[in-house]
Amino acid sequence: MLDAAEALKIVVVEDDYFQRTYAVSLLRKLGHIALEAEDGATALEVLRESGAKIVICDLDMPGMDGHTLVRHVRDEWRGEDESYVHILMVTASSQTADREIALEAGVDDFMLKPLELPILSARIASVARMIRHERLLEQRKRGLEEANTRILRDLEAASRAQRRLLPDVGRDIGGLRFHSEFVPSQILSGDMFGFFELPNGMVAFYAIDVAGHGVRASLKSVALGHLLTAAYFNSYAFAEDGSPDPARLVERLNERFFEDGHEEYFTMFCGIFDGATGRVSVCNAGYQPPWIARVRDGVSLLDLGGFPVALLGSATFETEHLTLDPGDLLVLCSDGATEADDLAGQAFGEPRVQQVVETCKDRPKMIPAHLLDVLDRWRDGRALDDDLTILICERTQPT
Amino acid sequence: MIRTTKDDSTGVLIVEPGTERLTAANATQFKEEVVACIDAGENMLVIDLSQTGFVDSSGIGALVGVLKRLGSRGEVVVCGLGSDVRRMFEITRMNRVFTAHTDRAAAVSALAATL
């Protein structure tokens, strides 16, 4: 006898009382739980109530015949989530053509009349193996789905935490107004940006792009987001005489993050803006050079290069100065935009970014969203391969 | 991934990344394969980027990794930089770290001249 766990519920569909009773008795002898149905309609009801996974059915029955029953079963139990019903059809040896129809309707296997115990036993054992296998696969699938959901939920929580680190845009700070977009390529971003008013009334801002993307890059970008505060800029971004010197701060970061044997580095652009004079002191450490949009003039690339941070221990950095007039813009944009390729593999490139800035330079608030829009069309709706940050620094009109 | 050609008369090893795009997806493999050449005793390398139209920040990291592994034991130069790769080298100042030659022949003879 089988133990309770191995006993299977099997529905026997047969209009002939004698044949049905005989099949039931064989199944019970094998230790299974046989459920009887005298026609197709009853069989469907018994299947619904019992949750049985195996049906042994006759082909010729008054009312709903075997073929029709099979079609009904396939319609109702579509095989998702362990719902597959295995159907064994009992036929006479002369019914070859009928077997083809039955196979098309979805029968799994045939047995010849009269039923014999060894054959029945072998067929049921084979179905039982399949059912065990299906159950195992289903359990594994569920395990993977749960793990996937958990990981995704975790990443999304981390992504929200990362976004909370970003400053609120749209406010006026010390003579500047900022507009931005922040688009991770994979939930978390290896980019970071920030801006803050310093105790001396100047404004510090920065944008960072950690090499690579995904979780590992985002861990570093978040660490940098926490490190780079107004106090940090105040302590390290000024020369001894008090004049802004952001290269000093970048040098300090290079010393702090450079490690022998690793090439985990980041690129960075940072600046200190003096609202009293409109002067901006900037340092570019390998970041995509920004554009300057002049109210009285066109848009041009501020072609500054510089070593990335933490790539070379011996790297030195330079501070450059420029002046923003009221209404002028400094447009920072990570290389996620310039390197975005279209379906033909062509990169978006610097001139196209510049074109977008030119189109919208009188409405600086619109630039980030418009650039995203143009990029989306360039990419044919495909997500970006790399993280994207757009940060517009607009010098406001003096009050 | 990488394809190497030994210039027999000078002993210079020419390395092609074997990819059109040297990016985060393959930079680690590239670096490991070139480092294996260095560990096997190669000390004069030309990285030929003429068939590699795009190098991202991870690719730059891999090139610098190769340079660091070689250290003072030898020389590594690059050649065949397309406009996008040249731009990347300028922005990140890698043009001050790597000597860039127009093509293989120029790179090999320049390296041989340092002997």
Side-chain angles (χ1 to χ4, degrees):
Chain A
M1 274 306 276
L2 300 169
D3 61 37
E6 284 176 90
L8 297 164
K9 288 182 195 164
I10 301 167
V11 181
V12 178
V13 198
E14 169 68 70
D15 57 312
D16 182 276
Y17 174 78
F18 174 74
Q19 301 267 12
R20 190 170 73 235
T21 312
Y22 176 62
V24 165
S25 74
L26 291 182
L27 289 170
R28 289 191 177 144
K29 204 178 273 182
L30 291 171
H32 295 298
I33 303 157
L35 307 165
E36 299 179 45
E38 56 195 23
D39 55 44
T42 316
L44 288 172
E45 266 172 48
V46 173
L47 269 173
R48 281 179 207 124
E49 279 166 22
S50 65
K53 298 272 176 278
I54 308 177
V55 173
I56 296 175
C57 87
D58 189 22
L59 177 57
D60 297 316
M61 289 182 289
M64 189 188 294
D65 69 359
H67 299 313
T68 317
L69 173 62
V70 171
R71 273 186 212 105
H72 276 291
V73 170
R74 288 290 171 252
D75 277 350
E76 191 162 336
W77 289 274
R78 292 179 172 277
E80 294 138 9
D81 305 332
E82 282 189 78
S83 77
Y84 190 76
V85 174
H86 298 260
I87 304 173
L88 301 173
M89 188 169 269
V90 186
T91 60
S93 56
S94 58
Q95 294 172 305
T96 323
D98 281 317
R99 275 188 231 164
E100 273 174 34
I101 301 172
L103 271 177
E104 267 170 41
V107 160
D108 293 291
D109 211 344
F110 298 95
M111 286 181 290
L112 285 182
K113 278 181 185 176
L115 283 179
E116 289 170 33
L117 190 60
I119 301 279
L120 184 65
S121 172
R123 293 285 158 83
I124 299 289
S126 142
V127 173
R129 273 196 300 277
M130 271 190 268
I131 289 175
R132 271 199 303 277
H133 200 73
E134 280 163 17
R135 200 168 294 153
L136 205 67
L137 282 179
E138 186 57 33
Q139 278 167 0
R140 281 191 198 153
K141 192 178 121 206
R142 216 172 289 151
L144 287 176
E145 278 169 358
E146 279 166 15
N148 189 46
T149 310
R150 204 165 50 237
I151 292 167
L152 216 60
R153 213 185 299 134
D154 246 13
L155 285 176
E156 269 153 14
S159 165
R160 285 193 295 278
Q162 181 174 40
R163 272 186 188 277
R164 276 201 297 277
L165 262 182
L166 302 175
D168 292 333
V169 293
R171 289 180 300 136
D172 293 3
I173 301 171
L176 284 183
R177 190 181 295 145
F178 293 90
H179 314 281
S180 74
E181 280 287 352
F182 184 79
V183 186
S185 59
Q186 304 161 351
I187 308 178
L188 287 168
S189 174
D191 285 2
M192 183 52 64
F193 71 88
F195 48 79
F196 9 73
E197 191 161 9
L198 302 179
N200 61 9
M202 295 185 190
V203 183
F205 59 89
Y206 74 88
I208 277 175
D209 181 351
V210 179
H213 36 82
V215 174
R216 190 161 137 172
S218 76
L219 284 175
K220 184 157 277 175
S221 74
V222 167
L224 287 163
H226 281 290
L227 178 70
L228 294 170
T229 57
Y232 198 86
F233 271 86
N234 199 46
S235 302
Y236 303 113
F238 291 89
E240 273 164 28
D241 65 2
S243 60
D245 188 6
R248 271 195 76 205
L249 176 137
V250 177
E251 240 150 68
R252 186 180 171 83
L253 291 175
N254 193 61
E255 280 164 26
R256 177 161 175 172
F257 285 93
F258 176 75
E259 265 180 78
D260 253 333
H262 286 282
E263 282 79 47
E264 283 179 33
Y265 71 91
F266 54 94
T267 64
M268 175 174 186
F269 189 95
C270 62
I272 309 275
F273 173 75
D274 183 351
T277 59
R279 197 165 90 130
V280 199
S281 308
V282 298
C283 175
N284 188 10
Y287 199 80
Q288 163 62 46
W291 286 264
I292 297 205
R294 301 277 185 200
V295 166
R296 288 169 215 285
D297 210 345
V299 179
S300 59
L301 194 65
L302 182 65
D303 211 350
L304 297 174
F307 292 110
V309 186
L311 184 58
L312 297 160
S314 58
T316 55
F317 302 90
E318 294 142 37
T319 293
E320 309 269 347
H321 306 280
L322 57 130
T323 303
L324 291 181
D325 288 328
D328 284 354
L329 314 173
L330 187 63
V331 178
L332 291 165
C333 175
S334 62
D335 56 16
T338 49
E339 290 176 3
D341 54 0
D342 67 3
L343 286 173
Q346 191 189 0
F348 191 69
E350 290 174 332
R352 286 190 186 81
V353 177
Q354 178 157 335
Q355 212 174 355
V356 169
V357 177
E358 273 160 5
T359 314
C360 300
K361 86 181 175 77
D362 301 329
R363 292 159 294 151
K365 197 182 162 195
M366 306 297 294
I367 296 174
H370 184 54
L371 182 53
L372 283 192
D373 209 39
V374 175
L375 276 170
D376 188 55
R377 264 176 279 147
W378 182 256
R379 296 278 298 161
D380 256 298
R382 296 168 302 148
L384 291 164
D385 286 334
D386 195 6
D387 305 318
L388 175 64
T389 296
I390 306 164
L391 179 65
I392 316 286
C393 318
E394 172 191 5
R395 186 176 177 198
T396 54
Q397 301 295 332
T399 45
Chain B
M1 169 162 191
I2 65 167
R3 281 195 294 269
T4 57
T5 317
K6 185 91 167 185
D7 185 80
D8 288 329
S9 60
T10 58
V12 171
L13 187 75
I14 298 149
V15 178
E16 284 178 273
T19 172
E20 285 176 24
R21 297 170 63 83
L22 189 59
T23 66
N26 52 25
T28 305
Q29 191 194 347
F30 167 78
K31 182 189 145 187
E32 281 168 3
E33 292 184 14
V34 183
V35 161
C37 296
I38 294 169
D39 292 347
E42 299 296 341
N43 60 6
M44 286 198 296
L45 283 82
V46 174
I47 313 278
D48 182 352
L49 295 171
S50 56
Q51 304 304 313
T52 305
F54 177 69
V55 177
D56 80 349
S57 56
S58 301
I60 294 287
L63 290 171
V64 171
V66 167
L67 182 75
K68 284 184 188 168
R69 176 60 72 105
L70 198 57
S72 54
R73 285 180 290 150
E75 281 276 349
V76 55
V77 300
V78 294
C79 75
L81 274 57
S83 60
D84 287 352
V85 177
R86 185 177 302 279
R87 179 77 184 134
M88 186 69 177
F89 270 58
E90 284 165 6
I91 292 174
T92 57
R93 292 270 159 91
M94 288 302 111
N95 51 354
R96 296 193 190 174
V97 176
F98 293 95
T99 308
H101 298 278
T102 47
D103 55 32
R104 253 179 215 215
V108 171
S109 57
L111 270 187
T114 64
L115 282 174

